[in-house]
Amino acid sequence: MLKKKLIPHNWIIILIWNILLISCDSPDTKKERYLLKGNEKLKENDTKSAIDFYGEALKIDPDFRDALFNRGLVMYQLNRLENAISDFSSILRTNPVDTLALFQRGVTYMDNGEFYKALEDSKTLIRNNPESWRSHFLEGLVLEQIKNYQESLTSFEKALELFPDNPEVLVNQATIFYYLKDFEKAEVGLKKAEKLDPTEANIFNLRSMIAFDRGELDIALTMINKAIALNSNQAYFYNNRGLYLIFENELEKGLEDINYSLKQNPKNLFAFRNKGIYHYFKNEKELALRYLTEVFEKDPDMELVKDYLEKTNNL
């Protein structure tokens, strides 16, 4: 015969009290508790559970701003850009001038290739919050993407007037100087940014690009490896390293990096270009033409594309 376990009387009181507390929770208390649980899971890098808890909070209150915003950020990090846009848009339906939601939606639109929607969000930010550096920064980022470099520089200059010691803006301004082939001005901005934040990975990524353009492959690889050591989650860094490795004749290592980058960001035309260059070096004419032609049709001014299309046609 099994011995029955007895629960002490005071334990029963505690259990009943806890049940009563839970049952008396208001909807606001419950949704806040789910939000906190989601935030804790996010700290643990458990994004799936974080999304689930934010979802539970939103079942209670579909307009719960903090849950929508945090879930949107997680979706953005996971490259689920349509989901992120949906969450930020839900916030903006309730509050059209929520500056953080507008900024994040603009960035997400931009990364999703919806440049003119991103530009519209930046214009809305500037109209409603002209004294915020972020408003002008977002505008500069989008103008950079549509290759309006001079106007992009103007936007970054306005952002720096409002926040002069901002390494993020300085790096992006230096990137425009890089595109304009003014490497000296780019280096000046990067030096200032590094003094402000020596852990900013994009500084070393841009230095790698400048070194590659100068034909300094060893320096390019050193710089891009430093960038990856500082931020191992950036798909563009792996793509750049893949290109440098190809030019170092480490073709398979280069392809591995490029494929990894594409897995993280399947819309990156630079990665398709680099795959075309890889196939050129492998003497695989048909595959090289397939990738390079696709990129050329979408962005005929991209560096290296036209050169390698001609070289591939001559194989």
Side-chain angles (χ1 to χ4, degrees), residues 189-211:
L190 291 176
K191 283 178 184 175
K192 187 174 180 182
E194 187 177 7
K195 283 182 183 177
L196 293 166
D197 183 5
T199 66
E200 173 51 68
N202 286 296
I203 295 168
F204 304 99
N205 176 56
L206 185 53
R207 282 190 176 143
S208 81
M209 293 162 67
I210 293 169

Side-chain angles (χ1 to χ4, degrees), residues 171 174-175 178 186-195 198 200-214 216 219-224 226-227 240 244:
V171 172
T175 301
Y178 162 78
E187 291 282 10
V188 169
L190 291 176
K191 283 178 184 175
K192 187 174 180 182
E194 187 177 7
K195 283 182 183 177
E200 173 51 68
N202 286 296
I203 295 168
F204 304 99
N205 176 56
L206 185 53
R207 282 190 176 143
S208 81
M209 293 162 67
I210 293 169
F212 178 74
D213 274 25
R214 287 173 169 164
E216 300 167 341
I219 295 173
L221 280 166
T222 299
M223 290 294 106
I224 198 62
K226 189 164 185 178
N240 284 346
Y244 309 156

